[in-house]
Amino acid sequence: LVMPALLRNIGPSAFEDTNISGSIYFTGLSSTVNIGGYAFAGTHINMLFFGEGVRVINESKYGVALSLGETNIAYIYLPSTLRQINNYFFNVGDKSANIARIDCRAYTPPTTYGHFAIDKVSCLFIPFFAYDNYKDTTYWEKFEVHKKLFPVLF
């Protein structure tokens, strides 16, 4: 499913408990993408792809609305242009997404406003030469502490 090019917002529970499946692609023409709480909970989405050009995923500093909810996602692609991501993207309480793999192409770890609850994220792949940036940055270092941070040559 390719989202409309200038889409900025997906409302809370927009696709919750629907039969939607496959991949969701955000083109990157809109620099900010806000995903409402549990938008994909209970679906069969297996991939979220944020295209180059997306700079902010959920701009609200306080909104827990971003949680993906209870779903299983095999793969999330975060672009090199990403500068900010709401920390609730990965987990809110026990309503958590199981995420097998995240590729984050940003050399500078995106800004976040609090710790990540990464217990249901299997691994984070980052650019090889950005390893020190991530392991030494508040909140992102948690991936290294739990042996879930992997530098690779993309």
Side-chain angles (χ1 to χ4, degrees):
L1 176 63
V2 177
M3 293 298 181
L6 298 176
L7 179 74
R8 281 186 50 107
N9 300 301
I10 294 178
S13 302
F15 299 102
E16 185 174 17
D17 294 325
T18 64
N19 288 326
I20 190 171
S21 63
S23 303
I24 303 286
Y25 179 76
F26 297 91
T27 63
L29 294 179
S30 182
S31 64
T32 300
V33 175
N34 294 303
I35 301 171
Y38 309 107
F40 302 113
T43 67
H44 301 284
I45 296 298
N46 59 18
M47 186 185 99
L48 289 176
F49 185 97
F50 295 89
E52 292 298 324
V54 172
R55 296 176 51 84
V56 177
I57 299 175
N58 280 58
E59 60 193 334
S60 173
K61 179 176 179 177
Y62 303 105
V64 298
L66 170 51
S67 171
L68 294 170
E70 294 174 311
T71 190
N72 294 304
I73 297 179
Y75 181 72
I76 297 176
Y77 176 92
L78 302 174
S80 66
T81 54
L82 189 64
R83 298 294 174 259
Q84 176 185 323
I85 187 169
N86 182 302
N87 53 297
Y88 293 107
F89 186 72
F90 301 112
N91 185 320
V92 174
D94 57 353
K95 302 277 188 191
S96 305
N98 292 309
I99 303 169
R101 176 180 175 152
I102 299 170
D103 283 0
C104 184
R105 300 290 176 103
Y107 278 87
T108 301
T111 300
T112 186
Y113 299 107
H115 70 88
F116 290 119
I118 64 166
D119 56 317
K120 293 188 177 182
V121 176
S122 297
C123 54
L124 171 65
F125 288 84
I126 57 166
F128 184 80
F129 296 107
Y131 178 75
D132 287 340
N133 296 344
Y134 282 82
K135 78 173 185 66
D136 295 336
T137 299
T138 303
Y139 307 124
W140 290 96
E141 90 286 350
K142 195 170 187 180
F143 285 97
E144 170 57 24
V145 169
H146 293 281
K147 306 297 183 208
K148 295 181 177 190
L149 184 65
F150 300 95
V152 296
L153 292 172
F154 289 116

